[in-house]
Amino acid sequence: MLDDEEAGEKIDMVPLSNNTVARRIQDLADDIQNELISRLHLCDAYSLQLDESTDVAGLAVLLVFVRYNFES
């Protein structure tokens, strides 16, 4: 995304703690969830597809696919 090394070095100097990164990821996830819910309230119909599996550690993973027609 950056063309010169100097800009990349300046970005690398910005300290990001684990808490900062985790908070930003959570903020993004919350924003996406709120946007999806508001779009689903505006559309006429939607369909859900659910898939459950387990990972190598034996933890359950649930995937949810939502299809809807949305015109902004």
Side-chain angles (χ1 to χ4, degrees):
M1 289 182 4
L2 301 172
D3 293 334
D4 59 354
E5 289 185 30
E6 184 178 330
E9 291 172 2
K10 287 182 181 179
I11 289 177
D12 287 339
M13 292 175 46
V14 176
L16 292 176
S17 70
N18 289 340
N19 292 338
T20 302
V21 173
R23 187 184 74 245
R24 289 182 181 177
I25 291 171
Q26 187 61 50
D27 289 345
L28 288 170
D30 291 341
D31 184 52
I32 291 170
Q33 180 179 352
N34 291 335
E35 180 68 22
L36 176 61
I37 290 171
S38 67
R39 285 183 176 202
L40 290 177
H41 282 290
L42 295 174
C43 71
D44 293 331
Y46 59 89
S47 65
L48 295 174
Q49 179 181 353
L50 306 174
D51 182 36
E52 182 184 10
S53 62
T54 55
D55 63 8
V56 292
L59 298 174
V61 177
L62 177 65
L63 277 106
V64 179
F65 295 94
V66 180
R67 293 188 69 177
Y68 61 97
N69 187 14
F70 180 80
E71 296 179 20
S72 54

